[in-house]
Amino acid sequence: MVMTSSLSDDGIEAMRAVMREPGRTLLATDFDGVLSPIVDDPQTATALPAAITALGRAAQCLGQVAVITGRPARQAVELGGLDQARGLDELIVLGQYGVERWDAATGEYQVPPEPRAIADVEAALLTVLEQAGHPQARIEHKGRALAVHTRTLDDADAAFEALRGPVTALADEHGLKVEPGKLVLEIRPSGTDKGDALKALAADARARTVIYAGDDLGDIPAFEAVRELRAAGLNALSIYSLSSEESAVRSLSDLVVDGPEGFARWLARLADSLDVRANAFAHGG
Ligand SMILES: [Mg+2]
């Protein structure tokens, strides 16, 4: 049985603020493991239709809705069908942990050039995997990042641990950093994380309430940003989308939902509440 949590006191306060001032609320969410179930081949991930529908409904009332992902922005837009989704015509997608941006309002992508160090590491990576005894680990080129996946290997956990050191050493050599995830080591330039991305979005949107949903180690900076924003006087809520593989994020969250299905249900309830509120105002209630 999946154990989910009830809302923390700070979370209750934040939800009251959302209902009071939805137009001053930023709702930001990770893609994989939150809108989209985790799959063996990341190229085949798709967003849950129920999650996208509910996100589009909620977006009608909220100040800003955004997706913040480690994926290239274009890939998240395509896999999520985010350029076709009803109600998401003001959506912002921040890709590569905030380095790339797509605006639904204009359809434009802002994608800076790939760092040279990524190509250099890619050229050396297979040799490092071979020397560590796991040449079958899958290398994914993600534009400004490289990912080494051990998910499809028989000894996935052992391979992950065996590769962690050598891959980190290679990244260090080229001035890059390694972000460990669920059976994946992601190599990318330092200086960008989901926490910086979330804080910048909150400032741009002049948000008084911020909600962030994530599921993985790469989301920890965003969960920490939620705490910082709260300390700075905003209402803020972090939601952990429960996964069987990663629980280190859980202790930082205000609410635990049961994976992407649970998050889709939570979004639908939020959209329902916002509809009720909008109707009450429409009828002078
Ligand atoms: Mg994720």
Side-chain angles (χ1 to χ4, degrees):
M1 189 178 121
V2 171
M3 297 299 289
T4 54
S5 75
S6 51
L7 199 52
S8 70
D9 289 347
D10 287 328
I12 290 168
E13 205 45 56
M15 290 314 295
R16 286 193 182 125
V18 172
M19 289 302 143
R20 222 166 33 235
E21 282 191 310
R24 297 297 294 272
T25 297
L26 163 67
L27 168 61
T29 169
D30 179 24
F31 185 77
D32 291 86
V34 183
L35 292 177
S36 154
I38 299 287
V39 289
D40 281 346
D41 178 0
Q43 306 299 329
T44 63
T46 49
L48 286 182
I52 299 301
T53 301
L55 194 62
R57 284 179 58 214
Q60 302 305 298
C61 297
L62 299 178
Q64 182 66 59
V65 172
V67 172
I68 306 177
T69 174
R71 287 184 186 268
R74 188 181 296 276
Q75 203 181 65
V77 170
E78 286 169 4
L79 293 174
L82 302 175
D83 50 351
Q84 326 266 332
R86 190 170 170 180
L88 293 180
D89 28 0
E90 303 279 326
L91 180 72
I92 295 171
V93 175
L94 297 182
Q96 308 259 5
Y97 301 87
V99 173
E100 300 181 1
R101 177 176 172 133
W102 176 78
D103 281 274
T106 61
E108 277 173 25
Y109 287 93
Q110 294 166 39
V111 177
E114 182 181 315
R116 174 68 198 271
I118 292 291
D120 292 344
V121 167
E122 189 173 27
L125 194 51
L126 185 56
T127 306
V128 168
L129 300 186
E130 280 168 356
Q131 283 167 354
H134 295 284
Q136 309 300 333
R138 207 164 59 75
I139 300 171
E140 182 191 5
H141 192 121
K142 303 175 74 171
R144 294 178 58 85
L146 293 164
V148 177
H149 297 269
T150 64
R151 180 177 302 276
T152 53
L153 302 183
D154 292 339
D155 49 351
D157 289 303
F160 176 83
E161 288 309 325
L163 291 175
R164 197 170 174 150
V167 168
T168 303
L170 176 65
D172 282 351
E173 233 174 82
H174 294 272
L176 300 173
K177 71 172 179 179
V178 170
E179 188 81 55
K182 290 170 191 163
L183 300 177
V184 56
L185 295 162
E186 195 159 296
I187 306 161
R188 59 185 168 94
S190 52
T192 46
D193 66 40
K194 291 186 178 186
D196 296 331
L198 183 66
K199 284 186 280 188
L201 277 180
D204 283 353
R206 297 177 58 237
R208 282 206 274 254
T209 304
V210 173
I211 301 173
Y212 181 78
D215 73 311
D216 204 350
L217 297 176
D219 296 304
I220 286 178
F223 279 50
E224 286 169 345
V226 163
R227 294 186 165 197
E228 278 177 48
L229 291 168
R230 188 180 289 149
L234 278 75
N235 294 289
L237 165 66
S238 58
I239 302 175
Y240 170 55
S241 174
L242 187 69
S243 121
S244 55
E245 295 172 78
E246 192 54 69
S247 61
V249 198
R250 181 177 188 143
S251 60
L252 289 169
S253 67
D254 298 302
L255 177 68
V256 180
V257 295
D258 185 8
E261 304 268 359
F263 186 59
R265 285 193 293 273
W266 182 87
L267 278 175
R269 281 200 302 278
L270 171 66
D272 289 345
S273 305
L274 289 167
D275 278 351
V276 167
R277 177 191 182 281
N279 287 330
F281 278 95
H283 297 105

